[in-house]
């Protein structure tokens, strides 16, 4: 069937646009990490097993006091945490200067959907603490894990990504075939700037 269509289009190459529709969309930043999402990302990005990631988070918590409760199954934060967000961002900047330029662009007037006390269970999402630590004392795996957690928190203070989805329908000669395609064009990266 595919070969029949290809051969037809080769012998009838002229196509007519019968519709072109642009739809503007937005995409919100991903919620901060719970343990499972963090384990998935550490495995996908760095090949760490689930148990190894758990051990890394335990060390970040117990040895360096760099992150909040590491076994949380919740991805939401309380409204009280939102009130402390500027201070947390400043601590991230001091602990991990790699984030300085990104935190400079963060807008703490943005209150993302993750700040919702009603959705917080026994523990809130895993985020950086207020404590300062020496980044050079962290192992490579601890740094990678802390950077993921910090980035997901910083992303909450960036605007939504904005993009356009264009859906086009084309008709071959005599409307023998209708072809459709869609393309995406980014208007504003927003929080995705942090994930490049």
């Amino acid at each position: 069937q595919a070969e029949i269509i290809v051969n037809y289009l080769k012998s009838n190459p002229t196509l007519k646009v019968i519709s072109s529709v642009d739809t503007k969309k937005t995409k919100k930043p991903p919620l901060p990490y719970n343990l499972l999402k963090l384990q998935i990302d550490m495995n996908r990005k760095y090949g760490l097993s689930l148990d190894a990631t758990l051990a890394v988070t335990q060390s970040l918590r117990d040895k360096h006091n760099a992150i909040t409760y590491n076994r949380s199954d919740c991805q939401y934060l309380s409204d009280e945490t939102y009130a402390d967000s500027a201070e947390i961002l400043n601590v991230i900047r001091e602990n991990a200067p790699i984030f300085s330029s990104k935190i400079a662009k963060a807008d703490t007037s943005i209150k993302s959907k993750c700040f919702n006390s009603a959705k917080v269970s026994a523990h809130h999402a895993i985020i950086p603490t207020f404590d300062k630590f020496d980044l050079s004392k962290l192992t490579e795996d601890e740094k990678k894990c802390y950077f993921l957690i910090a980035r997901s928190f910083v992303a909450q203070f960036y605007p939504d990504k904005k993009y356009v989805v264009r859906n086009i329908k084309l008709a071959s000669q005599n409307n023998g075939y209708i072809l459709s395609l869609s393309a995406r064009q980014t208007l504003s990266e927003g929080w995705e700037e942090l994930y490049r």
Side-chain angles (χ1 to χ4, degrees):
Q1 185 64 36
E3 285 175 357
I4 291 169
I5 294 169
V6 168
N7 289 333
Y8 175 88
L9 293 172
K10 279 182 179 174
S11 59
N12 299 278
T14 304
L15 299 171
K16 178 176 67 175
V17 176
I18 54 176
S19 74
S20 177
V21 178
D22 285 357
T23 308
K24 287 189 177 179
K25 298 198 170 198
T26 59
K27 187 176 178 186
K28 299 199 171 301
L31 292 169
Y33 285 109
N34 63 15
L35 177 59
L36 180 59
K37 296 279 185 187
L38 184 57
Q39 287 171 316
I40 289 168
D41 271 8
M42 286 293 286
N43 179 263
R44 184 173 55 85
K45 290 175 182 293
Y46 307 115
L48 255 68
S49 70
L50 303 187
D51 287 342
T53 297
L54 177 59
V56 166
T57 63
Q58 201 67 53
S59 176
L60 280 171
R61 179 164 165 70
D62 295 342
K63 196 169 163 188
H64 306 286
N65 203 28
I67 61 170
T68 58
Y69 182 67
N70 61 308
R71 293 172 185 256
S72 177
D73 62 355
C74 179
Q75 287 189 270
Y76 289 88
L77 298 166
S78 68
D79 296 311
E80 290 79 13
T81 303
Y82 174 72
D84 295 330
S85 58
E87 189 178 344
I88 297 169
L89 289 170
N90 282 332
V91 172
I92 293 170
R93 181 188 287 133
E94 287 182 39
N95 288 336
I98 192 172
F99 286 102
S100 291
S101 64
K102 302 303 181 189
I103 289 172
K105 294 199 229 171
D107 180 358
T108 51
S109 71
I110 295 172
K111 187 175 183 182
S112 82
K113 66 179 181 180
C114 82
F115 294 102
N116 186 340
S117 295
K119 292 193 174 186
V120 173
S121 51
H123 299 280
H124 61 62
I126 304 169
I127 60 169
T129 64
F130 294 106
D131 289 34
K132 292 175 187 160
F133 59 84
D134 184 351
L135 189 67
S136 67
K137 300 267 172 74
L138 268 59
T139 66
E140 283 308 303
D141 286 341
E142 287 171 345
K143 284 179 190 172
K144 289 171 183 171
C145 191
Y146 180 79
F147 289 165
L148 286 183
I149 293 166
R151 179 179 67 177
S152 75
F153 185 76
V154 175
Q156 305 311 310
F157 305 98
Y158 268 65
D160 294 347
K161 175 185 179 175
K162 292 179 181 168
Y163 62 100
V164 172
V165 175
R166 176 168 293 154
N167 291 295
I168 300 172
K169 284 195 175 170
L170 306 164
S172 63
Q173 194 172 11
N174 304 320
N175 293 340
Y177 292 100
I178 305 292
L179 306 171
S180 7
L181 63 103
S182 73
R184 190 181 279 221
Q185 180 186 5
T186 299
L187 301 176
S188 167
E189 272 191 312
W191 60 269
E192 270 197 356
E193 176 188 332
L194 296 163
Y195 286 75
R196 266 192 256 130

